Amino acid sequence: MPLGTWLKAGTCAAVLVLATAGAATAAPAPASTGEASTAQAAAVTLRYDDSRAAGWEAAIAAGVASWNANVSNVHLVEAAPGSAAEIVIVATTGWPQATLGPVRPGRQVRVELGSQAVDQGYNKTRIAAHELGHSLGLPDTKPGPCSQLMSGSSAGTACTNATPNATERSRVQSAYASAIAALAPTDGRMLIDAP
């Protein structure tokens, strides 16, 4: 076979290999992977600092896990020691209370986890999840049933539900639904959760 024919055959083969490789690398990712990446990328990350909430660590972790499992537009993570946090959590001797959000990245709200409620029999995890709900923009819904996380103390001391219901989840999802919403101010009122 003449050299020119070999060169043409080799060039055609190289072009075919490059075209196939280009098509393979340009193939779109499966829809489920792409959608999950988009959802994660769109979530607002809020950091919390519980370094001054001694005795509440397990309840805070459970409350954070409840919110993270039930909403996708916002994700709560523990702040690195010494770094800034949007949600500052402290243990107090009074009634639980929190700044009404929704808090935005770079801004700050305060959660006070009061031992007075625990002394009267209220569940620590429910208290922590409820107060975090205030930080995410949910007001109290008192009086209310145990199935409403934001009914707080009005559900009674037997209530241990620390999971937001569908309406509460929807309101938080809406509050963190877009970049425009991220510019909205935090309400700033302190809500005290005494009965």
Side-chain angles (χ1 to χ4, degrees):
M1 186 182 282
L3 180 60
T5 305
W6 279 106
L7 288 175
K8 283 182 186 177
T11 302
C12 288
V15 168
L16 181 60
V17 168
L18 290 174
T20 305
T25 58
S32 61
T33 304
E35 289 168 9
S37 299
T38 303
Q40 282 184 330
V44 172
T45 299
L46 298 175
R47 295 157 298 168
Y48 67 91
D49 174 5
D50 65 354
S51 62
R52 293 184 289 155
W56 286 86
E57 296 86 354
I60 293 166
V64 165
S66 177
W67 278 109
N68 285 343
N70 283 285
V71 295
S72 60
N73 286 349
V74 63
H75 187 73
L76 304 175
V77 297
E78 189 168 6
S83 67
E86 285 82 14
I87 303 171
V88 175
I89 307 172
V90 298
T92 69
T93 57
W95 275 97
Q97 57 186 308
T99 310
L100 180 60
V103 65
R104 304 299 178 192
R107 299 194 182 154
Q108 194 172 78
V109 294
R110 181 177 171 93
V111 168
E112 296 182 9
L113 300 176
S115 63
Q116 191 171 355
V118 177
D119 293 345
Q120 291 196 15
Y122 291 96
N123 179 270
K124 281 179 126 177
T125 300
R126 178 172 167 83
I127 292 168
H130 175 91
E131 299 306 325
L132 288 168
H134 287 319
S135 297
L136 298 175
L138 297 177
D140 287 314
T141 55
K142 295 179 182 180
C146 183
S147 60
Q148 291 178 343
L149 176 60
M150 300 314 293
S151 67
S153 60
S154 72
T157 57
C159 180
T160 60
N161 172 42
T163 304
N165 68 17
T167 301
E168 293 163 335
R169 291 190 302 266
S170 177
R171 290 185 69 186
V172 170
Q173 288 287 99
S174 294
Y176 292 93
S178 70
I180 294 172
L183 302 175
T186 297
D187 184 291
R189 290 180 288 151
M190 281 298 278
L191 301 179
I192 301 173
D193 289 305

